[in-house]
Amino acid sequence: MSKQEPEIGEENKQCGIQVIARAAAIMRTLGEHPHGLSLAAIAQAVDLPRSTVQRIVGALEAEYLVEAICRSGGFRLGPALGRLIHRTQTDIITVVRPYLEQLANQLQESVSLSKQAGKNIYVIDRIVAERELRVVFPIGIHVPLHSTASGKVLLSRLNDEQVRDLLPDPLPPMTCNTHDLPTLLNELATIRKTGVAIEQEENTEGMSSVAVLLDTYLGPFTIAVVVPSPRAARRIDLFKKALLECKQEIERMIGGNACKP
């Protein structure tokens, strides 16, 4: 005769749900701050006591969902999250990765594969350029849609009314170059015509990006070239051409109509 599991009281269930919700809030906050935050900053962002945040972060760190940043003493999202995201997106990653590698080798720049997550994009795969001056970013990073090329090309799928419903007004300024909502809407009209989005130091100073939309039967994704700004201006046309060619090749294999008769 098998032993029965002890019943869990309603109070314990609610406590467990609360802990999960708090852990999710902490991870979302760290996702919005890829360079990391101190325990005090996390506590302020999620409106919880520092001691509570410390306990939850400690548990997340034990599972490698959060990792400590040695120099600053802060914390950021850990490698286990990237592996989980990788597994959930394994189909698209398996198909697209060879094209990303080819694109990165061709341009000698870092490239990324991203997907929308609410008002953010998150990077589900990336190839980092093998050169001295390059852009390095972790898998799993969450970045606002309105301040990135990948985000803007995803927003271009929506009409202006849908964009206004999705995004706050005013838009949070990430740098002094971040567009306001009217400027962004004008830019989206151009992106809808060209199919290419450009971002110049609108999310991070010193970094620029160019992106195109992937319309696949697995859903919409973006591929982007992410570069140090000093190199971006003189190579924009090359990036556009290479991205559009890469997009065409990928969509030929797994495009939105690929599985239709």
Side-chain angles (χ1 to χ4, degrees), residues 82-143:
R83 288 194 293 270
L84 288 172
I85 293 172
H86 186 281
R87 287 167 185 165
T88 62
Q89 302 294 337
T90 183
D91 289 338
I92 187 72
I93 291 172
T94 300
V95 173
V96 172
R97 176 162 265 270
Y99 295 96
L100 293 183
E101 291 174 344
Q102 182 180 353
L103 186 63
N105 289 333
Q106 174 187 348
L107 299 176
Q108 288 297 294
E109 302 288 1
S110 298
V111 299
S112 67
L113 174 69
S114 302
K115 184 174 177 62
Q116 185 174 348
K119 298 177 184 178
N120 297 321
I121 63 159
Y122 68 82
V123 175
I124 61 175
D125 198 16
R126 55 95 171 94
I127 307 294
V128 175
E130 295 293 337
R131 58 188 304 173
E132 291 184 359
L133 183 59
R134 58 187 180 170
V135 176
V136 180
F137 45 91
I139 293 175
I141 185 174
H142 281 65
V143 188

Side-chain angles (χ1 to χ4, degrees), residues 9-255:
E10 187 63 29
E11 185 176 343
N12 287 337
K13 287 182 181 178
Q14 292 301 320
C15 182
I17 292 170
Q18 184 183 62
V19 170
I20 293 171
R22 288 174 171 179
I26 289 171
M27 293 180 69
R28 282 195 297 268
T29 297
L30 291 177
E32 293 169 358
H33 297 83
H35 300 298
L37 290 174
S38 67
L39 287 173
I42 298 170
Q44 183 177 10
V46 299
D47 194 24
L48 288 172
R50 188 182 185 280
S51 59
T52 301
V53 169
Q54 186 171 11
R55 287 196 300 271
I56 295 173
V57 167
L60 292 171
E61 187 179 12
E63 299 297 331
Y64 302 101
L65 291 168
V66 164
E67 65 180 1
I69 305 171
C70 296
R71 288 182 300 173
S72 67
F75 294 87
R76 64 187 175 196
L77 292 177
L81 183 62
R83 288 194 293 270
L84 288 172
I85 293 172
H86 186 281
R87 287 167 185 165
T88 62
Q89 302 294 337
T90 183
D91 289 338
I92 187 72
I93 291 172
T94 300
V95 173
V96 172
R97 176 162 265 270
Y99 295 96
L100 293 183
E101 291 174 344
Q102 182 180 353
L103 186 63
N105 289 333
Q106 174 187 348
L107 299 176
Q108 288 297 294
E109 302 288 1
S110 298
V111 299
S112 67
L113 174 69
S114 302
K115 184 174 177 62
Q116 185 174 348
K119 298 177 184 178
N120 297 321
I121 63 159
Y122 68 82
V123 175
I124 61 175
D125 198 16
R126 55 95 171 94
I127 307 294
V128 175
E130 295 293 337
R131 58 188 304 173
E132 291 184 359
L133 183 59
R134 58 187 180 170
V135 176
V136 180
F137 45 91
I139 293 175
I141 185 174
H142 281 65
V143 188
L145 288 168
H146 69 274
S147 62
T148 63
S150 287
K152 288 190 284 189
V153 82
L154 284 165
L155 287 171
S156 71
R157 300 171 61 246
L158 309 177
N159 60 41
D160 286 359
E161 183 177 353
Q162 290 171 321
V163 173
R164 290 191 184 95
D165 289 341
L166 177 64
L167 299 181
D169 187 14
L171 296 173
M174 309 304 292
T175 71
C176 61
N177 292 325
T178 306
H179 294 335
D180 59 19
L181 187 56
T183 304
L184 175 65
L185 292 174
N186 286 335
E187 186 177 9
L188 293 180
T190 301
I191 295 170
R192 292 180 189 111
K193 295 176 182 177
T194 64
V196 181
I198 301 171
E199 167 266 315
Q200 296 175 302
E201 301 191 359
E202 294 164 38
N203 185 76
T204 303
E205 292 183 3
M207 187 176 80
S208 298
S209 59
V210 184
V212 295
L213 181 72
L214 289 181
D215 178 20
T216 79
Y217 68 81
L218 296 168
F221 297 85
T222 71
I223 48 173
V225 180
V226 189
V227 298
S229 293
R231 279 205 302 269
R234 66 177 184 272
R235 304 191 76 197
I236 288 292
D237 289 341
L238 175 62
F239 296 157
K240 288 181 180 178
K241 182 175 184 294
L243 281 165
L244 288 170
E245 289 175 351
C246 185
K247 166 188 169 72
Q248 186 177 32
E249 291 179 10
I250 294 171
E251 289 184 349
R252 186 179 295 122
M253 179 176 292
I254 57 167

